[in-house]
Amino acid sequence: MIEAADHLPHWVTPKTATNRVFLRQGAIHLVPPPRNPAEFAKLPVRPTIEQSLAIVRNPPPRIATIAPDPIQKQIESRLSAFPPKLSQLHISLMTLPLPLAQLVATHPQSVASAVRALQEHSQASAPELNHAISRMKRFGQAPRVSCNVPFTRCLYAQLTFKDLHPSKGWGALPPPRDPARYPAELGMKLTAGFEILCQQAETADRKVAIAGAEGGEDAAILARVGETSAFRAYEEALQRLGFYRDLLPGSQEHRALR
């Protein structure tokens, strides 16, 4: 976007561009903010990634997300100076449990979700997530194989610099000077990310099952929706605006508004 700065719409700034700029099918897309009352129902003021992706894939009526030609041409002109086979992908050798090696080979896009889950994790996270990493009950004891895993350079940097100590579920790493050390350490971190994803899914399913047993199908659907990041962001915005007043979360009045 720096290259096309002279052609950008006036509303695009470093502060307003968050979750609004995307590449899709070789073209730049910009998710605009609402410009009039009628567009407030179609375009979020502070969009989440999920909301923006949905708009880019299926724009609302009379809303165009593809950037104007001057922006596209300026960026294409800049990219033409690079060698045609230049890639931003980094291929890393790592040691992974066999099921994950097979998953990554067939669905390489899953790597991004696992790295993001690990990157967002901290010791202050939910106890069940810390236990998932510590035990690694799903993948830790599976046979391990060496494999090449594709990353964007950003994802590779995030995984490399994430501090994570060996857990009981994974076992000890090879000695520091052993050539197998680095592939094993990267594999341990990526496996931890997948363990977090599995635990999050299991927790969400359990909440849905409990809600369904206590409140029926409608409660189960609400519990499922409530686990999405888009809904959580929406609910936090309502809270800031005072929609829930001072009602206690979980109370009958709070659930009625929700």
Side-chain angles (χ1 to χ4, degrees), residues 114-141 144 162-171 185 187-200:
V115 173
R116 183 177 180 182
L118 181 64
Q119 184 69 18
E120 294 176 350
H121 176 267
S122 69
Q123 291 302 316
S125 300
E128 60 265 25
L129 298 183
N130 293 324
H131 293 159
I133 293 178
S134 177
R135 297 193 301 266
M136 290 198 178
K137 65 178 183 179
R138 299 170 182 84
F139 305 112
Q141 302 307 312
R144 297 172 190 174
K162 178 66 176 182
D163 188 22
L164 184 67
H165 299 290
S167 65
K168 294 180 180 179
W170 182 266
E185 186 174 2
M188 175 191 68
K189 292 179 181 181
L190 189 60
T191 301
F194 279 109
E195 289 280 0
I196 292 173
L197 290 177
C198 289
Q199 183 60 51
Q200 289 173 334

Side-chain angles (χ1 to χ4, degrees), residues 93-111:
L93 177 68
M94 62 176 59
T95 303
L96 283 176
L98 181 58
L100 291 184
Q102 294 170 329
L103 173 65
V104 169
T106 56
H107 297 83
Q109 67 274 17
S110 63
V111 170

Side-chain angles (χ1 to χ4, degrees), residues 18-101:
T18 302
N19 295 340
R20 292 187 181 276
V21 183
F22 295 90
L23 276 173
R24 176 172 167 80
Q25 298 178 343
I28 299 293
H29 286 256
L30 302 173
V31 177
R35 294 165 295 184
N36 54 61
E39 291 186 353
F40 273 89
K42 305 175 184 178
L43 299 170
V45 177
R46 294 183 179 85
T48 64
I49 291 178
E50 291 86 353
Q51 289 173 320
S52 291
L53 286 175
I55 292 171
V56 169
R57 291 169 180 154
N58 187 23
R62 299 183 180 180
I63 300 295
T65 64
I66 190 165
D69 284 344
I71 296 177
Q72 309 285 358
K73 291 179 180 179
Q74 181 67 27
I75 294 175
E76 290 171 2
S77 174
R78 184 70 179 90
L79 291 176
S80 66
F82 293 93
K85 293 186 179 180
L86 184 63
S87 174
Q88 291 298 316
L89 283 181
H90 177 84
I91 307 298
S92 179
L93 177 68
M94 62 176 59
T95 303
L96 283 176
L98 181 58
L100 291 184

